[in-house]
Structures are given as C-alpha cells and as structure tokens.
C-alpha cells in the first residue's frame, strides 16, 4: 500500500502517533487509507448536501475494509459569481482545486480517493487531479436540483436570468419576476437544466469515472445516498484490482464521452474542460475531433435551456447509460472501455434501454443528425470558437450583421438594458478571455437579457469569454486567439459585418486583410485588469481557450 510510506517501520513511530491523535486505532491505521475529497460548503446550492454524501461514502469505505479520511476543497457558485468581478475567479479555481488535491493526496500518502463533487469547475478540477495522481479513484456527485414550478410550468434558474431582460423590456412585471425568483430553485443540487455542472457530472459517468446514475439521480433522492455508499465500497474493489484513472480515461473513453456530449447537447464549457482533462491524461483531444464526432452523432436530448425537459426527466428516461445504449445502435460506442464498476461500458449499458423516447429520442428519429455543439473557424477565430448549436433558433443558424463592439461584459449589458441593440446586430464582447479577463468570465447576463427581451432570434453574440450552460441563442464563445493575445477579435470595429454560418462551421469578419493589417499596426495591448494576487499569476500562466485554458507546461 502507498500509505505504508507514512505508517510502517521503526522510523514511522512519530507518524503513527499523529494518526492516533486523530482517534484512529491500530486496526484503522493498518487498513488502506482512502482520501474522501469533499467540496462541501455553505454557499453553493449544489454542495450544501455533500456532508450527507460524505457520511454515506465513509460508511461504504468502512464496510468494505478501508479507513476513510476526509478533506475539503474550494468551490465557486457560478450563478452567485455571475456578472461581477467574482466570475473572473471561477475558471481559475479549477487549477487551484487540482493543485490542492495533488498536494493533500501526495503529502498524506493516500492509497485511493473518492471525489465528492457537483458544480462547474469542481468536477473538472477533480478529474484533472485524479489523472495527475493516478491513484485508484471514483467520483460521486451531489446530484441535480429538481426543477421549480410556476403556474404549472417547470422552470429553472435560466428563467430567472431571462426574467431580468423581460422585466427591463416591460414584458414582465416586477411581481412576476419576484415569483420566479421565489420558486425557480426549490431544492439543493446542481441547477436543474443541462448546464455546466450537470454536463460535467454526466460526462464523468460517460468517461467511466462515476457509477451509473452519477449524473442524473436527483440530489434529494435517497437513491443518491445509496449510490454514495456503493461508491465507498467500490473504491476498495478498484484498489484491490489496481484499476486507476489512466486505465479508465483512455482515448476511447474520451471519444465515448464526446459522443455523449453531442447526443445530450451539453454546455459549451464541456469542451473547455474535456480538453483540460485530456491534457492531464496525456490524451490528444482538439476542437477538430469534436466536429468530427458531432458530424456522426445525432442529438437526442433537448434539456433546458435548449428545450422543455430537465435533469429529473433525463433520470426517469434512463440517464447516461440509456443514451449510450441508444447511440450504440449506430455503432457509436467503444464498448470495451473499463469503468469504475469494474465492468466495461458495453456490460454496463446492456440492460439499460431508453425508458421514455419523448425525453431521449430514438437514434433514427433525432432532433438533428449532428451533435449539440459546433466548433466554428474563420478569420476571426483562427483557433476556433464554440456554440451550443442545439440551443440556437433556426433563424440564426446563418446570420450576417453589423458588429456592436464592447471591451467588457459590463459595457455590453449597459447597452442592452438601455435598448441600444437593434435587430440583426452581432454583439462583440472582447478582452474577456482567459488572459484578458482574466479568467474567461461566463456571460449569462447579456445572453439571458437578450433572450428575455425577445431578441434571441434576431441578435447574435460572439466573445473570447465563455457562456453558462444556461445560455441559449446564437451565442458563440471561446473565440481564439483572444483579444488580449492580439487575436482578430481585437481588431473588429463598430459596424463591421460579421458572418455566422453554423451549418458550415464558419465565423468570419468581412473586412479586407489589408485593412486588418493597418488596424493591427495601431493596436496596443491593454493593461492587465487585475494587477495583484492569484489572478495576476493566472493571467501570466494560462493558455488559449483552444487548449482548454490550461496552464503552460
């Protein structure tokens, strides 16, 4: 056991004394030491129930003959951090989470790890740590929130953000907005649509690092507690069989996960995070691979914000395993990939058919024959950009319009709320990338305000920042190279014509190259927006969004 380096032998008497100071008996010290990595806190709704998940996990570990030892990580609620300086720190927290877990697990010589996670950056940060440490590991999330209900209609946080725009445009009263605010988020859990947190929990299951049901069993269901106990027991089996994250997260596993990504229509952030996780695994994944897989993968689900369904509906329809079962009918699954069940993907999905074809469409009758995400390329996005194709209105799949240029999210929101945006405009928000933001803020406020005003079928938005999974409409993010790195998005001027062609995977600025050269000669790199602390260091180390916004190696 790896933990023997901290507990066995004459010279480890002081170490054993410290273990005993924790209240551990000789029997507990002699067993495998399993780190229980908990991201529980009292500020993230998806994490307030993780104390109960941790107790269940520890019970499972003890039942199976291990000694559970819990420690914690940080976690940011993107909804609460949205539309102010706090959002600049969200993506950066992913790297801190990975680093802190590496430190804790290595310093204390754990034999295996159970990762308890739920929300946006915590899931990928933990997956990156699991790959880096390559100790036997298993993931258990806190589960999704149930949808709210107003006037007999299901809804989630998306409708509250869009309500701001509707209220600003006079399309909704303040009393109606207050009613939405009261009932949109009725339980603990990760927000109820196919937003980033639920996307990443489903993809953790798809990669094979979480048990079946990890991504979809609602947070408030007792089944979630039972799954946590099973995860605690399973880690001991993984340790015994020496099955490690790099045995599970193989190139074929990433191919499988991207197929699920496209079939479900996950958040655009899933691209950013899968790139970063793959990098830690030493697996080559790039934006072209996403497009190749999207071209052959039918989009089977339209969960909020792309459609009327929510995570509880996907759970009732059979969840991730049922989607695997369905796309396997087209031969789109690599069935031999090993998972934390100790079985292969093929074995896991064999008895998991779709239970509701209204929620998960048949593979021969999909919403579209191509996947839910698209990577766009062109002169304004030489390294690529990302759009949630399944959440774009048909009218906006191809669009050409004048640029309305803003050098920050705040400037854009001010203009939108002042009714200064016209039908047909292409809003450009720049200097919000990984380096320029810094931190590549999610911009749910401008996109949801546009939708709430009823302009989502008339106005497009492009940015070197990123979007929440709750965003819908022709919202194109991750434009790379970013403005702060001298990307062409920095050279766009008010009134320039931008052409968007999502079916053809194109994003182009219709300005002559010589004019762009002249503009580049005049361009000056802006001053850093944050000049102290962690985000200053982050801006100096982070790479392009096309790499997953990973640190330089």
């Amino acid at each position: 056991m790896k933990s023997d380096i901290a507990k066995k032998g004459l010279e480890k008497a002081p170490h054993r004394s410290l273990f005993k100071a924790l209240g551990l008996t000789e029997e507990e010290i002699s067993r495998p030491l399993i780190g229980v990595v908990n991201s529980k806190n009292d500020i993230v709704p998806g994490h307030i129930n993780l104390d109960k998940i941790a107790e269940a996990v520890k019970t499972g570990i003890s039942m199976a003959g291990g000694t559970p030892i819990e420690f914690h990580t940080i976690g940011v609620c993107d909804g609460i951090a949205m539309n102010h300086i706090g959002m600049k720190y969200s993506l950066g927290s992913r790297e801190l989470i990975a680093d802190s877990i590496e430190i804790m697990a290595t310093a204390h010589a754990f034999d295996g790890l159970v990762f308890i996670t739920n929300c946006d950056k915590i899931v990928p940060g933990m997956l990156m740590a699991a790959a880096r440490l390559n100790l036997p590991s298993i993931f258990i999330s806190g589960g999704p929130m149930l949808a709210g209900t107003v006037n007999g209609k299901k809804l989630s946080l998306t409708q509250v953000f869009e309500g701001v725009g509707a209220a600003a445009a006079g399309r909704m009263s303040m009393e109606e907005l207050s009613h939405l605010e009261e009932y949109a988020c009725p339980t603990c859990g990760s927000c109820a649509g196919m937003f980033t947190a639920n996307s990443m929990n489903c993809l953790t299951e798809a990669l094979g690092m979480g048990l079946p049901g990890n991504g979809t069993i609602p947070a408030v269901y007792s089944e979630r507690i039972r799954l946590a106990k099973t995860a605690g027991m399973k880690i001991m089996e993984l340790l015994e069989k020496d099955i490690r994250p790099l045995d599970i997260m193989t190139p074929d596993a990433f191919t499988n996960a991207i197929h699920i990504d496209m079939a479900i229509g996950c958040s655009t952030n899933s691209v950013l995070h899968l790139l970063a996780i793959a990098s830690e695994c030493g697996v080559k994944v790039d934006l072209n691979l996403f497009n190749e897989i999207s071209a052959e993968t039918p989009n089977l689900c339209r969960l909020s914000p792309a459609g009327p369904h929510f995570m509880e509906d996907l759970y009732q329809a059979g969840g991730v395993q049922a989607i695997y079962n369905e796309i396997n009918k087209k031969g789109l699954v690599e069935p031999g990939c090993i998972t934390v069940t100790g079985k292969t993907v093929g074995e896991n999905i064999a008895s998991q058919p779709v239970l509701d074809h209204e929620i998960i469409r048949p593979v021969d009758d999909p919403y579209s024959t191509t996947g839910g995400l698209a990577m766009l390329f062109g002169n304004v996005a030489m390294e690529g950009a990302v759009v949630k194709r399944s959440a774009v209105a048909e009218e906006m799949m191809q669009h050409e319009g004048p640029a309305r240029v803003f050098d920050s999210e705040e400037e854009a929101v001010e203009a939108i709320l002042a009714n200064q945006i016209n039908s047909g405009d292409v809003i450009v928000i720049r200097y919000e990338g990984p380096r320029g933001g810094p931190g590549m803020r999610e911009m749910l406020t401008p996109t949801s305000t546009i939708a709430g005003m009823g302009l989502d079928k008339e106005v497009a938005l492009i940015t070197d920042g990123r979007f929440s999974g709750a965003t819908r409409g022709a919202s194109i993010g991750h434009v790379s190279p970013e403005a702060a790195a001298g990307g062409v998005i920095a050279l766009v001027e008010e009134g320039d014509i931008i052409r968007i062609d999502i079916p053809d995977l194109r994003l182009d600025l219709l300005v002559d190259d010589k004019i762009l050269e002249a503009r580049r000669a005049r361009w000056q790199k802006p001053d850093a927006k944050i000049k102290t602390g962690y985000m200053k260091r982050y801006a100096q180390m982070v790479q392009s969004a096309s790499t997953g916004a990973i640190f330089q190696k």
Side-chain angles (χ1 to χ4, degrees):
M1 292 187 293
K2 182 181 178 183
S3 60
D4 286 350
I5 65 172
K7 66 186 186 184
K8 278 203 170 181
L10 174 68
E11 72 280 11
K12 296 303 188 296
H15 304 62
R16 292 191 294 273
S17 182
L18 291 169
F19 280 123
K20 289 175 181 178
L22 297 174
L24 297 182
T25 64
E26 292 277 4
E27 172 64 23
E28 288 172 303
I29 295 169
S30 70
R31 293 177 175 185
L33 303 184
I34 307 299
V36 177
V37 192
N38 194 354
S39 52
K40 194 262 189 252
N41 60 45
D42 291 337
I43 189 64
V44 183
H47 291 240
I48 60 171
N49 65 323
L50 297 189
D51 52 348
K52 295 179 176 62
I53 298 294
E55 287 306 311
V57 165
K58 290 190 283 188
T59 296
I61 292 170
S62 296
M63 285 193 296
T67 297
I69 300 177
E70 184 178 353
F71 65 92
H72 288 253
T73 67
I74 62 170
V76 172
C77 176
D78 281 15
I80 295 173
M82 195 72 65
N83 193 30
H84 59 84
I85 191 172
M87 181 48 73
K88 292 178 183 289
Y89 287 76
S90 177
L91 182 59
S93 73
R94 186 187 70 183
E95 319 308 312
L96 276 178
I97 289 164
D99 289 351
S100 65
I101 295 168
E102 176 191 0
I103 289 169
M104 288 294 291
T106 305
H108 301 106
F110 291 120
D111 296 299
L113 297 168
V114 180
F115 292 85
I116 304 175
T117 184
N118 218 21
C119 291
D120 295 24
K121 305 315 154 314
I122 299 96
V123 186
M126 287 187 170
L127 284 165
M128 291 163 70
R132 193 182 301 171
L133 291 161
N134 202 32
L135 295 169
S137 299
I138 191 169
F139 279 64
I140 173 69
S141 79
M145 184 184 293
L146 295 179
T149 304
V150 170
N151 299 325
K153 183 180 179 182
K154 285 184 177 181
L155 75 161
S156 70
L157 188 65
T158 297
Q159 284 69 38
V160 186
F161 271 97
E162 292 183 3
V164 173
R171 302 170 72 232
M172 177 182 287
S173 70
M174 290 304 298
E175 291 76 14
E176 289 172 314
L177 179 59
S178 178
H179 198 61
L180 285 180
E181 174 187 326
E182 188 72 23
Y183 295 105
C185 299
T187 72
C188 64
S190 46
C191 295
M194 187 50 73
F195 311 151
T196 304
N198 292 324
S199 295
M200 293 311 302
N201 284 323
C202 286
L203 293 178
T204 298
E205 183 179 335
L207 278 168
M209 291 298 295
L211 293 170
N214 178 71
T216 56
I217 297 170
V220 293
Y221 283 18
S222 297
E223 185 181 357
R224 173 68 56 183
I225 300 296
R226 298 196 298 272
L227 191 74
K229 290 179 181 176
T230 304
M233 290 186 282
K234 276 290 178 184
I235 189 61
M236 301 307 296
E237 181 182 322
L238 293 169
L239 183 62
E240 181 184 356
K241 294 180 178 179
D242 196 29
I243 298 174
R244 298 170 182 260
L246 296 186
D247 299 321
I248 295 171
M249 291 191 285
T250 63
D252 283 347
F254 278 95
T255 298
N256 279 344
I258 297 171
H259 278 298
I260 290 291
D261 195 342
M262 296 302 166
I264 297 179
C266 289
S267 164
T268 51
N269 285 314
S270 65
V271 176
L272 199 71
H273 298 321
L274 285 174
L275 288 169
I277 298 160
S279 177
E280 290 287 354
C281 293
V283 173
K284 179 175 172 51
V285 173
D286 60 23
L287 297 185
N288 291 312
L289 179 62
F290 281 89
N291 273 343
E292 290 169 13
I293 292 175
S294 180
E296 65 181 15
T297 309
N299 179 224
L300 305 183
C301 299
R302 291 283 168 95
L303 275 67
S304 178
H309 303 134
F310 294 86
M311 291 303 297
E312 62 204 72
D313 302 312
L314 181 58
Y315 162 74
Q316 297 288 352
V320 171
Q321 304 301 311
I323 297 170
Y324 260 142
N325 186 302
E326 192 66 23
I327 64 173
N328 193 38
K329 295 174 183 177
K330 284 192 68 173
L332 297 177
V333 178
E334 296 290 346
C337 294
I338 194 69
T339 73
V340 291
T341 65
K343 300 178 181 178
T344 65
V345 169
E347 291 171 318
N348 290 341
I349 69 175
S351 59
Q352 300 293 322
V354 174
L355 303 177
D356 186 342
H357 278 298
E358 288 296 315
I359 309 302
I360 302 173
R361 296 283 285 270
V363 74
D364 55 359
D365 184 26
Y367 284 104
S368 66
T369 57
T370 54
L373 300 178
M375 314 300 122
L376 311 185
F377 294 87
N379 67 340
V380 76
M382 299 295 289
E383 295 177 6
V386 185
V387 64
K388 189 167 186 173
R389 173 164 43 193
S390 60
V392 178
E394 189 62 36
E395 299 94 315
M396 294 299 293
M397 296 297 279
Q398 293 174 306
H399 179 77
E400 192 171 301
R404 303 296 307 280
V405 183
F406 304 96
D407 287 348
S408 71
E409 177 187 6
E410 288 84 356
E411 291 178 18
V413 171
E414 183 179 352
I416 294 166
L417 290 175
N419 294 309
Q420 295 173 2
I421 302 301
N422 304 310
S423 178
D425 285 350
V426 178
I427 299 170
V428 178
I429 304 178
R430 62 191 181 190
Y431 297 107
E432 291 285 6
R435 190 184 307 173
M440 202 180 181
R441 283 193 286 186
E442 285 186 351
M443 285 180 255
L444 179 56
T445 296
T447 59
S448 58
T449 304
I450 289 167
M453 289 178 162
L455 295 173
D456 55 299
K457 296 181 180 179
E458 302 171 23
V459 171
L461 191 154
I462 73 169
T463 180
D464 53 7
R466 59 195 180 91
F467 298 114
S468 164
T471 287
R472 62 186 175 95
S475 302
I476 300 165
H478 307 196
V479 171
S480 301
E482 63 174 291
V488 171
I489 192 172
L491 309 180
V492 180
E493 294 187 357
E494 191 84 4
D496 287 349
I497 301 301
I498 293 175
R499 179 184 294 157
I500 299 165
D501 190 336
I502 295 173
D504 200 35
L505 307 175
R506 296 292 305 179
L507 178 63
D508 290 294
L509 175 65
L510 304 186
V511 173
D512 186 84
D513 287 345
K514 290 186 178 179
I515 294 175
L516 291 178
E517 288 174 15
R519 291 180 185 177
R520 183 172 297 284
R522 300 193 300 269
W523 178 76
Q524 292 183 335
K525 185 177 179 179
D527 290 339
K529 294 179 181 177
I530 296 179
K531 297 181 171 61
T532 59
Y534 175 68
M535 291 310 296
K536 175 185 177 182
R537 299 195 301 276
Y538 180 90
Q540 293 168 343
M541 298 171 68
V542 72
Q543 298 186 82
S544 166
S546 63
T547 71
I550 60 174
F551 281 171
Q552 298 168 10
K553 294 189 175 180

